[in-house]
Amino acid sequence: MSHLENLDPILNELQQKYTAIDQDTQTYLTGLLYSKPITYWDYIQTDALLNLQVQRTTLPDEMVFIGYHQINELIFKMILWEIEQVAENNALTAEFFESKLMRISRYFDMLSTSFNIMREGMDVEQYMKFRNTLTPASGFQSAQYRLIEFASTELINLIDYRFRKDIDRDTPYTHAFEHLYWQAAGKDYHTGKKSILLINFEKRYKEEFLRFMEAHNTKNLWTRFKELPKADQADEDLVKAMRHYDYTVNISWVKAHYNAAKHYIESGSGGAVETEGTGGSDWKKYMHPKYQRRIFFPELWTEEELNNWGEDI
Ligand code: HEM
């Protein structure tokens, strides 16, 4: 219970706040008289949140699949929240940069180390059944995952290696978009034909992606890092944090994801490696970090490290 004599300064501040926007403080105080006390469930919106896990089948393990994907999307949102603070900071310091990077990494560490919930947490037989009801959808269509990539690195590092030499900073975004590495999961480069996985994804998100790519061209994590004073760019802790983030997203997570896919798709099909992912990709080749060689900050790795990227998986 606060003491009455402490109320004056607060009332003064409230008065200042509302006068500044031409509002009557008295009305707001009267409103407070009738406002409901907040509860945990209203604030966290638990009812809404816990109503979002809707199964398409009767198989119990589908709940694990839906729940874990939703947890990933929530964590992706929190990662983007932190990245955006670096992107928008007008007085960026190495200290701020590093602390945000560590937050982002902790989230991604959590996603990599928890991936066993997917790999071990579902019955293969059930997975092989309920996955049929998901086709042609795939985690490939997670827009937030793509936003994290656009906001982390220079666009060129997300371009399919086969086309990098023809793409530079003057290339129109629409052209670069067609040559992003992930187009390979759903596009036949000889005929130009796109799979339904890709067509649906682009119909929903392409415009947003193009705007986001352009906006982050000059404020992704790498360009912001390069804006720091040279001494900060050489700061051991900061470089370590950058490398850790790169490794976690592009090796640890990719590896955990690949192993989960391998476990279900291969063992569920009795080792028939040609079985497709629900999105229809040549998954075994497409998902392996050794083939994709996604690297956010190539300048921070030695030549040997770059050459061996993903080889230990
Ligand atoms: C048993 C669990 C999982 C399996 C078997 C699996 C399988 C696959 C496969 C085969 C692909 C390639 C595209 C396709 O043909 O569908 C893919 C892509 C993808 N999945 Fe998963 N996935 C699983 C869990 C997850 C989870 C929990 C997430 C988190 C959101 C996720 C996010 C993604 C992303 C972002 C891609 C695109 C990656 C890229 O382009 O390299 N997946 N997944």
Side-chain angles (χ1 to χ4, degrees), residues 65 68-69 72-73 76 115 118-119 122 127 131 136-142 145-146 149 181-182 185 197 253-254 257 260-262 264-265 276-284 286-287 292 294:
F65 192 79
Y68 187 69
H69 275 81
N72 272 249
E73 291 294 339
F76 288 163
F115 222 107
M118 282 282 93
R119 193 180 179 284
M122 298 181 297
Y127 173 80
R131 79 192 288 265
S138 165
F140 174 92
Q141 294 169 321
S142 164
Y145 186 84
R146 305 302 174 196
E149 292 184 320
Y181 78 84
W182 45 263
L197 168 87
W253 188 85
V254 175
H257 183 219
K262 199 164 159 208
Y264 288 101
I265 304 178
E276 289 179 343
T278 52
S281 73
D282 177 1
W283 69 273
K284 205 162 185 204
Y286 175 71
M287 288 168 78
Q292 288 194 354
R294 262 138 54 184

Side-chain angles (χ1 to χ4, degrees), residues 136 140-141 173-180 182-203 206 209-210 279-281:
F140 174 92
Q141 294 169 321
Y173 289 99
T174 43
H175 182 80
F177 183 88
E178 291 302 327
H179 296 89
L180 286 164
W182 45 263
Q183 291 275 341
K187 187 174 178 182
D188 180 331
Y189 279 103
H190 298 296
T191 62
K193 193 168 184 284
K194 295 186 181 191
S195 66
I196 193 72
L197 168 87
L198 203 50
I199 292 171
N200 287 344
F201 191 40
E202 291 183 5
K203 214 187 280 174
K206 184 171 171 181
F209 284 165
L210 287 171
S281 73

